[in-house]
Amino acid sequence: MSARIDHLVVAAATLEQGADWCEKTLGVTPAPGGKHAGVGTHNRLLSIAGDGFAQAYLEIIALDPDAPPPQRPTWFGLGDAAMQARLRERPRLVHAVARCRGLDEQLAALARLGLDAGRARAAERGAL
């Protein structure tokens, strides 16, 4: 299998809390991101690109209070009450997202290892 880190995901109770954490912890303000239709979340982004990871970024994600109820489960368990309680304490690194070629083959290889990576879903990546 061949995969590279695409982005790191930091979940926050609110985008404001996540941006404040980023400014205090990393000394930079994350750029505006977007809204995730049907999932009930929104984000802010920070490029962390470097050698070998030309498009890598940090995503700060939170439930979108202005979004209609999600049409499917929220990413990273953000809709879970226990997760929201932990996020009220502080933002947390919750996931690393990989980029790969041959996604179906990658998922099959993980399944052979006994790992359930879930189902693939189409998504779009905006500009950083």
Side-chain angles (χ1 to χ4, degrees), residues 99-119:
R99 168 192 302 246
C100 65
R101 295 190 192 276
L103 183 57
D104 291 334
E105 294 82 12
Q106 300 284 344
L107 291 173
L110 290 170
R112 288 191 295 276
L113 294 171
L115 301 171
D116 180 7
R119 291 182 327 146

Side-chain angles (χ1 to χ4, degrees), residues 26-38:
L26 304 175
V28 292
T29 302
K35 295 178 179 277
H36 306 123

Side-chain angles (χ1 to χ4, degrees), residues 63-80:
L63 293 177
D64 182 353
D66 298 325
Q71 299 168 359
R72 56 184 178 238
T74 56
W75 285 324
F76 317 115
L78 290 177
D80 179 71

Side-chain angles (χ1 to χ4, degrees), residues 46-90:
L46 175 67
S47 175
I48 55 171
D51 291 343
F53 299 94
Q55 295 180 318
Y57 64 99
L58 176 74
E59 174 183 31
I60 298 171
I61 190 168
L63 293 177
D64 182 353
D66 298 325
Q71 299 168 359
R72 56 184 178 238
T74 56
W75 285 324
F76 317 115
L78 290 177
D80 179 71
M83 171 67 90
Q84 283 299 306
R86 288 190 297 276
L87 295 177
R88 281 191 293 277
E89 295 172 9
R90 68 181 178 281

